[in-house]
Amino acid sequence: MAQASIRLVTDRARHTAATWAWNADPGTLVTFASPDKRTVTQNAAMWPALTDISEQVQWHGQSLSPDQWKQLFLADMDRGALMVPALNGKGFVNLNTSSSALRVKEFARLLDAIYKFGADHDVIWRVPRS
């Protein structure tokens, strides 16, 4: 079997997965992934909030894009940073700035941090927090 996926929702699916594991070639990689990735609703709430902050708050005298604000909030989530020198040798790049792998609870923490920061900086939300 080259590659296969199965969702463990029934006893039969669990049995099938166990059979695949017992019959797999030595060295086969098995990955268990939580199904609770961020929701579409969570993602849809993030960008208007980041845009509002981007348009209303300067960070140390600089205007930042919504994506740059997202990177700042992600860096503040205790996820660690993987800083490497830029390809041109000028500065550093954080390679751990993606929000796509966040789970529902982690993404909720991210949204809470965004809204708290906005409230602390008198941001007027165009899209009310639900």
Side-chain angles (χ1 to χ4, degrees):
M1 168 183 333
Q3 183 175 349
S5 297
I6 190 167
R7 190 167 304 276
L8 302 177
V9 293
T10 65
D11 287 342
R12 181 181 171 111
R14 289 179 179 278
H15 178 73
T16 300
T19 300
W20 288 352
W22 280 110
N23 294 327
D25 293 333
T28 297
L29 173 66
V30 177
T31 303
F32 292 93
S34 176
D36 63 346
K37 281 192 132 185
R38 68 182 182 188
T39 67
V40 173
T41 303
Q42 286 179 312
N43 195 55
M46 178 181 65
W47 290 109
L50 290 172
T51 299
D52 288 340
I53 291 172
S54 175
E55 292 173 352
Q56 299 174 44
V57 179
Q58 286 198 336
W59 190 243
H60 294 275
Q62 294 185 38
S63 295
L64 302 177
S65 71
D67 192 61
Q68 290 169 323
W69 278 106
K70 180 184 84 164
Q71 291 178 32
L72 273 175
F73 286 109
L74 285 170
D76 203 37
M77 289 187 65
D78 297 327
R79 297 173 64 232
L82 175 56
M83 302 296 291
V84 298
L87 293 175
N88 64 6
K90 298 177 182 177
F92 290 85
V93 178
N94 182 359
L95 298 180
N96 194 17
T97 59
S98 175
S99 62
S100 62
L102 294 180
R103 304 290 184 221
V104 170
K105 289 180 183 178
E106 293 172 312
F107 208 93
R109 280 189 26 239
L110 174 63
L111 287 174
D112 286 345
I114 291 169
Y115 284 115
K116 182 184 181 319
F117 179 90
D120 291 347
H121 290 84
D122 300 319
V123 169
I124 298 168
W125 306 114
R126 287 181 291 173
V127 177
R129 184 176 184 185
S130 56

